[in-house]
């Protein structure tokens, strides 16, 4: 019920505004310089690629003992897992408690068997997007090749049929429409990193821009 009391209305507006005082829980969960949104925005550079499942492939190559390629059916038959996590975009929005389901990165790594020289991984996506990170970051047990978001098939604008989700880094590190994982010997910049985004991208250290 709408209140006529102006004080109360201001109070409500402040509550809805990103600049309001943060609760203790938010301070613990929301990294510096971020604000909470409820609905996940769509952030895509360029066109949204449309991929028929019959043509979809995930290619794993580079410094691995066992390079391989998966069809959609093969991908879907791998072991799966669910995670619940907060996500943080470098443009300052964060969303709490998103739910993802898919294949853990560890399953891909076990199958690929990286060579000792493999230090980094370039994520490749349909449409040409790339983003880089150290292999050791991908080994965390919450890194997922996700095809399900909040219990539904991942919508195409959010990276469907499948995207990477790396919860502990800014969300640009989570390539939508993932179609390749290239194991390499050094950490070289991907698409946004070449424009000055951070090589690492830890939201708690505000690694937004710069080499790191
Ligand atoms: N292929 C691809 N992946 C991408 C992007 C993109 O433009 N293309 N944008 C990144 C950025 S900056 C963010 S914040 C998230 C946004 O995901 P969403 O559109 O599902 O919110 O995807 C990341 N992955
Ligand atoms: Mo982003």
């Amino acid at each position: 019920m709408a209140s006529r009391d102006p004080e109360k209305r201001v109070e409500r507006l402040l509550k809805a505004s990103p600049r309001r005082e943060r609760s203790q829980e938010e301070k613990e969960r929301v990294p510096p310089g971020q604000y909470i949104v409820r609905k996940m925005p769509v952030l895509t550079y360029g066109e949204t690629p449309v991929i028929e499942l019959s043509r979809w492939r995930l290619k794993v190559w580079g410094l691995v003992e066992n390079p391989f390629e998966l069809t959609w059916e093969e991908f879907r038959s791998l072991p799966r897992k669910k995670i619940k996590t907060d996500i943080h975009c470098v443009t300052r929005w964060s969303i709490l408690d998103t739910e993802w389901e898919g294949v853990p990165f560890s399953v891909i790594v076990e199958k690929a068997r990286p060579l000792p020289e493999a230090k980094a991984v370039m994520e490749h996506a349909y449409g040409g997007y790339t983003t880089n990170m150290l292999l050791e970051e991908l080994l965390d047990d919450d890194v997922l090749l996700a095809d399900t978001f909040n219990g539904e098939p991942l919508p195409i604008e959010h990276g469907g049929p499948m995207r990477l989700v790396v919860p502990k880094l800014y969300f640009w590190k989570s390539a939508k429409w993932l179609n390749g994982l290239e194991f390499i010997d050094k950490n070289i910049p991907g698409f946004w990193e070449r424009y000055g985004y951070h090589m690492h991208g830890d939201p708690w250290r505000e690694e937004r821009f710069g080499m790191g």
Side-chain angles (χ1 to χ4, degrees), residues 119-121 132-139 187 199-200:
K119 292 284 181 284
V121 175
N132 60 286
M133 72 180 64
L134 291 173
L135 173 56
E136 62 184 60
E137 306 270 2
L138 285 165
L139 298 178
N187 199 10
M199 288 293 278
H200 183 220

Side-chain angles (χ1 to χ4, degrees), residues 62-93:
L63 299 171
V64 293
E65 273 176 45
N66 178 41
F68 62 91
E69 204 177 80
L70 298 175
T71 63
W72 182 249
E73 287 69 33
E74 288 165 339
F75 172 75
R76 290 284 300 180
S77 68
L78 295 173
R80 297 170 65 79
K81 158 173 187 175
K82 282 183 194 172
I83 60 162
K84 188 178 197 179
T85 184
D86 303 341
I87 53 185
H88 313 291
C89 170
V90 71
T91 62
R92 301 189 181 272
W93 52 264

Side-chain angles (χ1 to χ4, degrees), residues 40-45 89 93 125 129 157-158 163 171-172 174-177 192:
M40 183 145 83
V42 172
L43 242 110
T44 303
Y45 181 86
C89 170
W93 52 264
Y129 187 87
E157 66 274 18
H158 290 301
R163 77 178 298 163
F171 211 28
W172 91 78
S174 296
K176 303 196 278 188
W177 314 291
W192 283 122

